[in-house]
Amino acid sequence: MVGSIIGTGVFALPSALAPYGPIALVAFVLVTVGALALAVTFGRLSERVPGSGGPYVYAREAFGEFAGFLTAWSYWITAWAGNAAIVVAWVGYVEVFVNKGHHTGASIAIALVGLWVPAIVNLTGVRNIGAFQVVTTVLKFLPLGFMATAGLLFVKAGNFGAFNASGGSAMGAISAAGAIALFSYIGLETASVAAGRVRDPRRNVPRATVYGTLACAAIYLLGTLAVFGAVPHDQLTSSSAPFTDALNNIAGGHWAGNLVAVAAIISGIGALNGWTMICAEMPMAAARDGLFPPVFAATRGRGEVPAFGIVSATVLASVLTVFSYTRFTKVFTEIVLLSVLTAVIPYLVSAAAQLYWLVQHGREQLDRRRLVKDVTVTLLALAFSYWSIQGSGYQTVYYGLFTVLLGIPAYIWVERPHHGAAAAADPAAVPGPAAETDPAEASPLP
């Protein structure tokens, strides 16, 4: 959970939020409340609907196969597009040591290494993924924990700049900053996605989801506040490694910032390692239900590694990364907004699935207090999801919706063989020519 949520996004986030000014911290608080509502909702869903697949399983159970497919499709896009965003932020910290001139060709080469090393680790099996994740999670927490505690002692009010630096309305700034900040919490559902590989999932998945999100929330809010107060606003808006700049300003020199850069590099590899697994787990669950191409369900080796899912997602992330470096001016922000939009759709559908169940069965299976609590939290998660879509911006919603709707032809292609097989097995289900039926036999009248 924590390894997938905390990647390099948080290490780059202060720079992405800086153009809005300290009002972005207000957005971050609101996003945190919404993220916790989603975490509790996913925890409740995982208790009720066990097994791998997360949002896909919940959507399919509540609304049928087509809703399940679109949810899986959207989340799959989120996973590999999110890897592209993580690796772009990761490159910024690698370039603290190499390619300090940020030459595009070298940046692309570094990014591709960052994408393919975790893919190779994933291809070796789930045990190695877990061990790698534990080590990188511990190492990434050290600098973040420092900034979230001791870093607060070095905050200077003059570094924050104008409260609303966006030039627009306060609500507009909060919505736009909130959409970016939500990227930090993408991954809060990963325990439910991989529930089939977890011991005692009914107990451990809800606990991991809620407690992991709380731990990340504390680190995020305090760490981002410390960076805003340690780096002058003008410097922060153009920084590619804001935590490094913050530590350098606090300690003087470059040694402290270099340590943070090393931690961010390790953190990014760890997050990419976890998300590469998620890229394969979701489509594998859908493929086993016949809602994704069968090749995604194929596994190899004793560890049942979904090799095609891992390789295909890494190839797509690589293509998006190369495209972004050559076409986008704000590479990280543009990919983040696309990833957030495609993630919010499964979040919204999952919250709707939980609300649907509460309305249909809540009174029968829950006491009044638990029912009121669950309905309130689920409605908050649903409202938060709608707000996040609104804050993503018109252009992002346009491209994101177009990408999601591309799944409809894919669904028709996947489902066509199943319907053909069903028709062949049950000829009576297929309408035949009415003219061939004898009217005397067809009618009960004389």
Side-chain angles (χ1 to χ4, degrees), residues 429-443:
V430 182
E436 295 180 4
T437 305
D438 187 340
E441 295 178 359
S443 174

Side-chain angles (χ1 to χ4, degrees), residues 161-393:
F163 182 68
N164 181 6
S166 68
S169 67
M171 286 305 300
I174 289 173
S175 294
I180 296 173
L182 178 57
F183 182 74
S184 300
Y185 289 107
I186 291 179
L188 60 86
E189 73 294 331
T190 52
S192 65
V193 173
R197 299 179 182 267
V198 177
R199 287 195 302 268
D200 192 7
R202 289 183 184 274
R203 174 177 178 270
N204 288 327
V205 169
R207 292 177 68 186
T209 301
V210 175
Y211 295 151
T213 304
L214 282 170
C216 293
I219 290 289
Y220 281 170
L221 289 171
L222 297 176
T224 303
L225 173 63
V227 172
F228 265 66
V231 182
H233 181 259
D234 292 340
Q235 180 187 351
L236 187 59
T237 55
S238 59
S239 174
S240 61
F243 274 82
T244 290
D245 292 340
L247 262 294
N248 284 338
N249 289 351
I250 289 172
H254 296 281
W255 66 270
N258 288 347
L259 288 177
V260 173
V262 170
I265 291 168
I266 294 170
S267 174
I269 287 291
L272 288 165
N273 175 63
W275 273 102
T276 300
M277 180 183 75
I278 298 301
C279 284
E281 287 287 330
M282 174 73 79
M284 182 171 69
R288 286 176 173 172
D289 291 334
L291 295 179
F292 245 62
V295 67
F296 282 95
T299 59
R300 68 173 184 83
R302 293 170 58 186
E304 297 186 347
V305 176
F308 181 82
I310 292 169
V311 172
S312 61
T314 307
V315 168
L316 289 168
S318 300
V319 171
L320 179 58
T321 301
V322 172
F323 180 85
S324 300
Y325 268 110
T326 54
R327 296 296 180 91
F328 294 158
T329 53
K330 296 181 179 180
V331 182
F332 178 75
T333 303
E334 297 283 354
I335 304 178
V336 160
L337 288 173
L338 176 62
S339 302
V340 165
L341 181 68
T342 53
V344 167
I345 293 172
Y347 291 173
L348 191 153
V349 175
S350 296
Q354 174 68 353
L355 185 62
Y356 177 78
W357 183 85
L358 290 170
V359 170
Q360 293 289 325
H361 308 289
R363 291 184 179 180
E364 305 166 7
Q365 302 188 28
L366 301 176
D367 61 67
R368 183 178 178 84
R369 183 178 178 183
R370 169 74 178 269
L371 178 61
V372 171
K373 178 182 176 183
D374 282 3
V375 168
T376 302
V377 171
T378 305
L379 286 173
L380 179 59
L382 201 62
F384 171 69
S385 299
Y386 281 115
W387 176 64
S388 299
I389 292 174
Q390 181 270 330
S392 297

Side-chain angles (χ1 to χ4, degrees), residues 35-119:
L36 289 171
L38 281 169
V40 173
T41 300
F42 276 112
R44 295 283 189 257
L45 284 163
S46 64
E47 290 175 355
R48 199 166 49 76
V49 189
S52 290
Y56 154 72
V57 175
Y58 311 144
R60 186 172 184 268
E61 186 259 352
F63 306 121
E65 290 189 348
F66 183 63
F69 170 82
L70 277 186
T71 300
W73 176 267
S74 183
Y75 192 85
W76 179 61
I77 294 170
T78 297
W80 57 258
N83 275 358
I86 291 170
V87 85
V88 167
W90 181 79
V91 167
Y93 282 91
V94 173
E95 290 180 343
V96 170
F97 305 102
V98 298
N99 191 36
K100 296 181 180 180
H102 306 294
H103 302 293
T104 301
S107 296
I108 291 172
I110 294 168
L112 294 178
V113 171
L115 288 170
W116 283 97
V117 167

